[in-house]
Amino acid sequence: MRAIGIPSYGSPDVLAVVERPVPEAGPGQVRIKVAAAAVNPTDLMLRSGELAPYMADFTAPYTPGMDVSGHIDALGPDTTGFAEGDRVVAFVNPFTDLGGAQAEYVVVPADQVAVLPDTLPLVEAAGLPMNALTAHQALGLADLAPGATVAVTGAAGALGGYAVQLAAQRGLRVVADARDEDRDLVLGLGAHTVVPRHADPRDTVAAYRAALPHGADAVVDAAVLGADALEIVADGGHLVRCRPYDLPAPRGIVLHQAFVVAHPDKAGALRELVGLAALGALSLRTADRFAPEDAAEAHRRLEKGGVRGRQLIVF
C-alpha cells in the first residue's frame, strides 16, 4: 500500500510516498480502508524532528497523521460493535508501531473509532477526530458549569473553532479572538464576543482584558499564547494548554494539559462529536484536498499559517 513517509527529519521536501505492507488487524482492532487523512501541526513537529524522542523505538520512514475517515475493511479477533463496510472516523496515534493515519490502510484499536452517519460526507469527516477530540478534552479538563465564561484563543483555526462550538453547545459564554477577516466566521461558530487578534500577543491579551475586566473562568489556549494567556484568566480560574509549555501558576490558577492521546474515552467522545456534526452543531471545515504526492505543499501551507479548516490527504 501507499503511505506518506518521513525517511529523515527536515523540511517538507523530505516527505515521500512509500510502499508498506498492508497491516493486519489484531485482537480488538479494526482495519480501515482510508478515504482521507488530515494534516495537523503534530505532523510538522514529527517531520522536523521535534518529536524524535517519541520515535526512538520505531524505524523510519515514519508515517504521520492522527485522524482518518474510511470504510472498515477487516475486523480483528474478538472485535465487536462494528461490521465490514461500516463508514467510520477514527483517531490514530502515530507514536506506535502501527504508524500514523496517512496511508491507504490503517489499523487502530476499536475504542478509537466511531461509525459515521450516511448524512455526513466521508472525505470531509476526516477533519473531525483529532481537533474535535482535543477541544472536547480541553473543555472537560476545565469542567465549567453552564453560564461560566471561557476564552478561546486562535478561534478561527481548526482546534479553536471546535472549542468555540463545543463550549457554546455546553451553555458557556464564549469570548474569542479573531482577525477582522475572521470575525464573522468566529461569530458564526457561536462566540458571544469576538475581540481583535493582533500580531503582538500582548495587544490581543489587552483586548481580552478590556472585554473581561475580571478575567475568564477558563482559557483554552489553542493559539499557544503561553504565559501571556495567564493574564486572561480570572483568579482561581483554569488555563488549558493545547501544546506543552511550562508556566508558574499564579493567583490560584489551575493549569491543565490537553494531550489528545490521553483522552480517557475516545470512542464515546467521537460518537458524541459525530452526532453533533450530523446535527450541524459542529462544522466539517475543509480548507483543501491534496493527493499523497502533494503532502509537502500541505505542510508548507500549514507552516505559513492562516489555514482555515483542515487540509486533507485523499487516497
Side-chain angles (χ1 to χ4, degrees):
M1 68 172 186
R2 295 180 303 154
I4 306 299
I6 302 172
S8 60
Y9 297 124
S11 74
D13 293 332
V14 303
L15 294 171
V17 178
V18 300
E19 290 290 329
R20 290 191 181 282
V22 175
E24 297 295 331
Q29 298 176 332
V30 301
R31 185 171 69 198
I32 300 170
K33 188 178 189 304
V34 173
V39 177
N40 68 80
T42 302
D43 299 347
L44 309 188
M45 298 167 70
L46 177 57
R47 187 212 73 230
S48 71
E50 189 174 346
L51 301 178
Y54 294 95
M55 307 305 293
D57 294 334
F58 311 117
T59 302
Y62 313 116
T63 295
M66 301 184 76
D67 39 10
V68 70
S69 64
H71 293 90
I72 289 185
D73 172 72
L75 302 174
D78 304 320
T79 301
T80 60
F82 298 96
E84 291 184 17
D86 280 350
R87 304 167 82 247
V88 295
V89 292
F91 171 78
V92 184
N93 182 357
F95 308 110
T96 71
D97 56 3
L98 293 173
Q102 293 169 18
E104 289 185 297
Y105 293 86
V106 296
V107 166
V108 294
D111 62 4
Q112 295 175 190
V113 181
V115 173
L116 191 69
D118 290 339
T119 54
L120 290 177
L122 184 63
V123 169
E124 282 76 8
L128 179 72
M130 186 262 193
N131 282 131
L133 275 174
T134 304
H136 186 280
Q137 182 185 33
L139 291 169
L141 290 168
D143 194 23
L144 299 179
T149 298
V150 60
V152 179
T153 69
L159 171 56
Y162 281 135
V164 168
Q165 289 187 301
L166 285 173
Q169 280 289 314
R170 296 180 182 196
L172 303 177
R173 179 192 173 204
V174 183
V175 181
D177 61 79
R179 298 170 181 160
D180 289 345
E181 60 267 30
D182 292 323
R183 177 181 173 81
D184 289 345
L185 166 66
V186 174
L187 286 171
L189 293 173
H192 299 85
T193 302
V194 177
V195 303
R197 179 174 177 83
H198 299 277
D200 188 332
R202 292 171 296 182
D203 293 333
T204 302
V205 168
Y208 272 111
R209 293 299 300 186
L212 297 166
H214 301 294
D217 297 303
V219 173
V220 176
D221 189 20
V224 198
L225 297 184
D228 291 317
L230 286 168
E231 298 182 37
I232 309 171
V233 186
D235 293 353
H238 301 260
L239 174 62
V240 184
R241 297 163 291 175
C242 297
R243 293 269 192 92
Y245 55 80
D246 293 324
L247 284 178
R251 300 185 284 112
I253 292 173
V254 181
L255 300 178
H256 306 278
Q257 179 65 61
F259 185 48
V260 66
V261 171
H263 192 297
D265 182 16
K266 296 182 184 69
L270 279 174
R271 288 192 293 270
E272 176 187 348
L273 296 167
V274 164
L276 289 170
L279 293 172
L282 289 183
S283 304
L284 302 178
R285 297 163 53 204
T286 300
D288 211 341
R289 300 183 182 197
F290 295 87
E293 294 78 10
D294 297 324
E297 179 60 21
H299 279 229
R300 293 187 193 98
R301 292 187 188 182
L302 193 56
E303 283 182 333
K304 184 177 179 181
V307 174
R308 297 294 174 253
R310 305 300 305 279
Q311 299 185 119
L312 306 179
I313 306 295
V314 180
F315 286 90

